Amino acid sequence: MIGRLTGRIVEDSAEGVVVIDVGGVGYEVTVPLGALGRASREGDDVVTLYVHTHVREDTFALYGFPTRDDRAAFRSLIGVSSIGPKIAMSILGALPAGELSAAIARGEASRLVAVPGVGKKTAERLILELKGKLAAAPVVAKGAEAPKPVAPEGKAELLHGALTRMGFRPAEAERAVTALGARVQTEPLGDLVREALALLSSK
């Protein structure tokens, strides 16, 4: 079984399949949306992915993740009835491990339903079966200041920056900002990020 790969990304498709060159051997790996931007890097070219080797009678596939927590979340997701690798990858593309853990801990079915392929019953099953089983999300200090209101004209830049910090490529972030259109100027930034994630995970 392959548990980790470190090498150069030599092919990168819009469908989330990449080829990582490790010592002259190219491994085809499926990654969640935004994963490459969050993965550990050595210089500009070398990236490390934590890998789940998925073996079935007619399938041998590699799924790569930027952190061990994301890989653990994937393994927990595919352990839930009716959740296959494709839906699990969509969920982790919209909600990285920490956010997924927080959403499940708070019972936020609406955040799960926003992911393409996840219906209300599936979201409720995920919350029931995975509550307390995923790595805990980082805790914000009690003394932390509340975010200050953002001027409407700066929201597009902040949304773009938030998406790129989450690991999306600048072109992906730009596409989401453009798709949201005038709503960028009127809706709260948190809502905009959630809508952008839903848009990007549906591509």
Side-chain angles (χ1 to χ4, degrees):
M1 295 295 181
I2 297 172
R4 189 183 71 177
L5 291 172
T6 298
R8 292 187 306 110
I9 300 298
V10 293
E11 292 182 30
D12 183 2
S13 74
E15 290 74 29
V17 178
V18 303
V19 175
I20 181 170
D21 184 296
V22 182
V25 178
Y27 294 88
E28 189 173 271
V29 185
T30 301
V31 298
L33 199 62
L36 294 182
R38 294 187 292 114
S40 174
R41 290 181 179 270
E42 297 175 18
D44 294 331
D45 298 329
V46 179
V47 65
T48 294
L49 295 174
Y50 295 91
V51 175
H52 171 82
T53 305
H54 193 70
V55 181
R56 293 293 182 269
E57 288 184 3
D58 58 347
T59 304
F60 185 95
L62 302 179
Y63 295 90
F65 306 91
T67 68
R68 291 185 179 89
D69 285 346
D70 285 287
R71 183 178 61 184
F74 174 82
R75 289 172 171 169
S76 295
L77 285 167
I78 62 175
V80 175
S81 175
S82 80
I83 300 294
K86 185 176 180 179
I87 293 179
M89 296 298 273
S90 292
I91 291 172
L92 288 170
L95 298 169
E99 292 183 42
L100 177 62
S101 176
I104 286 176
R106 292 194 291 261
E108 295 175 338
S110 60
R111 296 196 68 186
L112 296 171
V113 171
V115 179
V118 179
K120 183 178 179 182
K121 288 185 178 179
T122 299
E124 291 171 348
R125 187 185 305 117
L126 287 168
I127 291 170
L128 179 65
E129 295 192 26
L130 297 183
K131 197 165 189 177
K133 295 182 179 179
L134 300 179
V139 178
V140 178
K142 290 183 179 180
E145 294 184 4
K148 297 178 181 180
V150 179
E153 61 271 15
K155 279 188 180 177
E157 288 79 5
L158 284 177
L159 176 58
H160 189 281
L163 292 170
T164 54
R165 284 193 298 275
M166 291 172 68
F168 294 102
R169 300 180 190 83
E172 291 174 329
E174 184 64 34
R175 186 175 76 234
V177 173
T178 301
L180 289 170
R183 283 179 290 168
V184 172
Q185 308 304 327
T186 58
E187 295 186 14
L189 187 59
D191 291 345
L192 291 169
V193 171
R194 283 191 289 274
E195 289 185 48
L197 289 173
L199 283 168
L200 289 167
S201 64
S202 67
K203 298 297 182 182

